[in-house]
Amino acid sequence: MTKDSATQKTGTIYSILLIISFGHFLNDMIQSVIPSVYPILRDEYNLSFLQIGIITFVVQMTSSIMQPLVGAYTDKHPHPYSLTSGMMFTLVGILLLSVASTFGLILLSVAIVGIGSAVFHPESSRIAQSAAGVKKGLGQSIFQVGGNGGTALGPLLAAILILPFGQKAISWFALAAIVAIAALYYVGRWYKTALRSAKKTVISPAVRNLSQKRIRQALFILCVLTFSKYFYMASMTSYFTFFLIDKFGVDIRQSQLCLFAFLAAVAAGTLIGGAIGDRYGRKLVIWWSIFGAAPFALALPYVNLTMTIILAIVIGLVISSAFSAILVYATELKPGKVAYYDGCVEVDLSEIKPMIA
């Protein structure tokens, strides 16, 4: 079987998946700069840990809470170029953060970056789902690993570019936003064409036989699982560097490298978990991800620096392994909420019933 015929059979468009993953990489890399510069902002403006927490709260609220609202709107009114629009918000926010001189301006700038992320993610996830064909887990893994890779690289670049030159060096990340705008514009053109030839969504009998109450219960469980994972992730990205500095006396650069190691493990775990879920079952990956990280997390405060880094890497690998599986389950439970392009095939949802039974 030739490569082209294989692509037609699976309906997987790898070029679009890779480009959308690259856009996700750049978007999340820019967003990860915010927690990476917390030590700089704390020293420069004498911020308290409460104020650091407020900054994180604003970022998470604007980037996360707005996503369902954006997603609900684009489900009914798809916008092929919304990814480019979201990245423009990110561009404005990161430039403002580089010159913000008060706590209020810092909050405004990170809120704009968060809005950009909220606009970017729903439609980009939909496009990744469309381009993946039957390889839903792999497609979402490729998409998610781009974001996780960007999140991992952000602290490393912050240590290299921002620490030596200060807050104004944040503006250099605007170049990444400009590159992302150009790349996502190309994706928007493809998506615009795909929407014209989209077929009506095919709903599997496994979903038809589920009541709306059961579907809502399953979605609620998936939301709780996702919340628990991102709660831990937000805590680590916001305070892990401070923990290392205060407990082990490392400098800011070393703490950023340790954060990079954790976030790189998250990226690797996302890709590995998606492939394993496609092969051995997504429910198995979710159970392992939920319970597997707990022993290592409980041991984290009681070990030395070397073991802290090792445990953080293991936690990152385990806790991120279910991201793709959770997302695929959610989109399969609500197939009408995902844009399908011409040639998209019916998905086997036989795993859903055992999971929520």
Side-chain angles (χ1 to χ4, degrees):
M1 181 181 293
T2 65
K3 181 178 179 181
D4 290 340
S5 61
T7 300
Q8 291 172 1
K9 181 179 179 180
T10 63
T12 304
I13 305 178
Y14 288 100
S15 59
I16 295 298
L17 279 177
L18 292 175
I19 295 174
I20 200 69
S21 179
F22 178 63
H24 199 190
F25 171 87
L26 294 175
N27 178 85
D28 286 23
M29 181 188 72
I30 296 171
Q31 189 169 350
S32 71
V33 169
I34 296 173
S36 300
V37 299
Y38 282 169
I40 297 175
L41 297 177
R42 181 186 66 168
D43 295 341
E44 182 71 22
Y45 301 106
N46 196 27
L47 301 180
S48 65
F49 281 112
L50 175 61
Q51 289 174 306
I52 295 294
I54 292 174
I55 295 174
T56 301
F57 175 78
V58 170
V59 174
Q60 295 299 325
M61 288 295 288
T62 54
S63 64
S64 300
I65 299 301
M66 284 189 62
Q67 283 193 39
L69 301 178
V70 175
Y73 176 78
T74 56
D75 276 337
K76 298 178 180 179
H77 309 283
H79 285 267
Y81 299 106
S82 61
L83 280 66
T84 303
S85 301
M87 194 56 62
M88 289 179 178
F89 276 98
T90 301
L91 173 62
V92 172
I94 206 69
L95 288 174
L96 180 59
L97 181 61
S98 68
V99 297
S101 57
T102 66
F103 182 62
L105 282 177
I106 292 173
L107 291 181
L108 176 61
S109 62
V110 300
I112 295 174
V113 173
I115 291 172
S117 184
V119 174
F120 169 84
H121 278 95
E123 200 77 323
S124 61
S125 181
R126 182 204 307 274
I127 294 173
Q129 183 85 353
S130 297
V134 295
K135 297 182 178 180
K136 303 299 181 184
L138 178 62
Q140 286 298 334
S141 292
I142 293 173
F143 171 67
Q144 294 293 335
V145 80
N148 291 337
T151 301
L153 187 62
L156 183 62
L157 292 180
I160 296 173
L161 299 176
I162 299 177
L163 289 180
F165 302 102
Q167 181 183 352
K168 291 184 178 180
I170 296 174
S171 61
W172 293 351
F173 285 85
L175 296 175
I178 294 173
V179 172
I181 289 172
L184 295 174
Y185 179 78
Y186 173 82
V187 173
R189 290 177 60 187
W190 172 85
Y191 186 42
K192 184 177 181 179
T193 302
L195 286 174
R196 293 172 180 167
S197 56
K199 290 182 178 180
K200 184 178 179 180
T201 302
V202 179
I203 302 177
S204 169
V207 171
R208 287 197 206 99
N209 295 333
L210 293 176
S211 67
Q212 288 300 312
K213 180 180 179 181
R214 294 293 268 175
I215 291 176
R216 287 194 295 268
Q217 288 175 344
L219 289 174
F220 176 76
I221 293 172
L222 294 177
C223 287
V224 170
L225 295 178
T226 304
F227 175 83
S228 67
K229 289 178 173 297
Y230 276 102
F231 185 91
Y232 191 91
M233 289 282 294
S235 299
M236 286 290 285
T237 54
S238 297
Y239 295 109
F240 190 47
T241 54
F242 294 119
F243 171 76
L244 296 174
I245 292 171
D246 294 341
K247 183 173 182 178
F248 301 110
V250 302
D251 59 29
I252 296 177
R253 185 183 298 272
Q254 290 172 322
S255 70
Q256 297 285 15
L257 293 175
C258 294
L259 180 59
F260 166 76
F262 167 73
L263 295 173
V266 170
T270 301
L271 186 61
I272 295 171
I276 293 176
D278 278 344
R279 186 173 181 83
Y280 298 106
R282 301 183 191 111
K283 185 172 65 174
L284 176 65
V285 174
I286 291 176
W287 282 117
W288 160 248
S289 178
I290 294 299
F291 293 104
F296 306 107
L298 292 173
L300 197 60
Y302 306 104
V303 296
N304 59 26
L305 177 60
T306 301
M307 285 303 301
T308 296
I309 298 171
I310 293 174
L311 289 178
I313 291 173
V314 174
I315 292 169
L317 286 168
V318 174
I319 204 170
S320 63
S321 59
F323 284 156
S324 298
I326 291 173
L327 185 57
V328 171
Y329 268 131
T331 55
E332 288 177 348
L333 284 167
K334 284 290 188 179
K337 301 299 182 181
V338 180
Y340 275 63
Y341 71 100
D342 187 27
C344 187
V345 299
E346 183 175 348
V347 181
D348 179 11
L349 304 181
S350 58
E351 289 183 283
I352 293 180
K353 276 192 173 181
M355 179 184 179
I356 63 177

